[in-house]
Amino acid sequence: MGEIFSGLILGIGFGFVLERAGFGNPNKLTGQFRLTDWSVFKVMFTAIVFASVGLLALEKFGLVDAGNLFVPPAFLGAAAIGGALVGAGFAIGGYCPGTSVVGFMSGRIDAAIFLIGLLLGTVLFAGIYPAIESLTTLGEFSKGDSLPEAFNISALSIDVVMVFATIGVFILGSWMEKKCKSPVRNSSV
């Protein structure tokens, strides 16, 4: 029962943070596809790097044994297909599954309609799953379970590259946002 309660509390907290960040608004979310709002990119890169660097630190201090963590196999083909489908739904509907719940709880009708579509799509997927099950394991990457294993380099090297990539995303995103907000000149002929 404690796991359910803690999951519920964490979910409510996560939803609150998403709403406060404006991620319950489809205009903010679709702005990432138009490259006019880089908030989602910045938040996601920061979260990924924080988790990666944090895991490395916990491992170095002996608090976590990364070798005992479950890392699911990478199915690159399946991930590409799924990513394209989820990305298309995200771009068209303006929500991902988590942000649609946030939008719905904030009283947005469009989020409620998106959630209905999400549920119908889930039922459809469950119905056709036996016919497409082979696609879910398409393109298995068996060279390694993690980036350090796959590239045969240290986890610290991966983290350093990720930190610099995040800095690059922040710089590029800030530049793109300023460029998109600059007034457009009206050229009359």
Side-chain angles (χ1 to χ4, degrees):
M1 185 67 171
E3 296 89 7
I4 293 173
F5 184 70
S6 66
L8 182 63
I9 296 299
L10 287 172
I12 290 170
F14 183 62
F16 176 77
V17 171
L18 287 177
E19 174 59 29
R20 296 298 298 158
F23 292 173
N25 182 337
N27 295 324
K28 185 166 199 70
L29 297 170
T30 55
Q32 71 180 337
F33 292 101
R34 294 187 305 271
L35 301 177
T36 58
D37 191 330
W38 285 64
S39 301
V40 176
F41 290 119
K42 291 175 182 178
V43 167
M44 293 307 295
F45 266 88
T46 302
I48 291 166
V49 170
F50 183 81
S52 181
V53 171
L55 179 61
L56 182 65
L58 291 172
E59 187 177 18
K60 293 298 179 197
F61 288 118
L63 298 171
V64 172
D65 180 9
N68 288 333
L69 297 176
F70 173 71
V71 179
F75 298 107
L76 300 182
I81 294 169
L85 292 172
V86 169
F90 198 155
I92 293 167
Y95 294 103
C96 71
T99 58
S100 66
V101 174
V102 171
F104 173 68
M105 296 305 290
S106 299
R108 296 190 64 97
I109 294 172
D110 58 340
I113 293 168
F114 186 91
L115 271 172
I116 291 168
L118 178 72
L119 293 173
L120 291 174
T122 302
V123 170
L124 174 67
F125 177 80
I128 65 169
Y129 181 77
I132 63 168
E133 184 176 4
S134 63
L135 294 176
T136 64
T137 57
L138 187 65
E140 183 174 8
F141 184 77
S142 58
K143 189 173 179 185
D145 287 336
S146 64
L147 291 176
E149 288 176 12
F151 294 115
N152 197 25
I153 57 176
S154 72
L156 179 61
S157 300
I158 295 291
D159 284 351
V160 168
V161 168
M162 288 175 49
V163 166
F164 281 112
T166 303
I167 292 168
V169 165
F170 272 78
I171 292 169
L172 179 64
S174 297
W175 178 77
M176 290 289 290
E177 286 171 344
K178 285 178 188 171
K179 189 171 178 75
C180 290
K181 289 179 184 173
S182 65
V184 178
R185 293 183 210 187
N186 187 1
S187 56
S188 304
V189 192

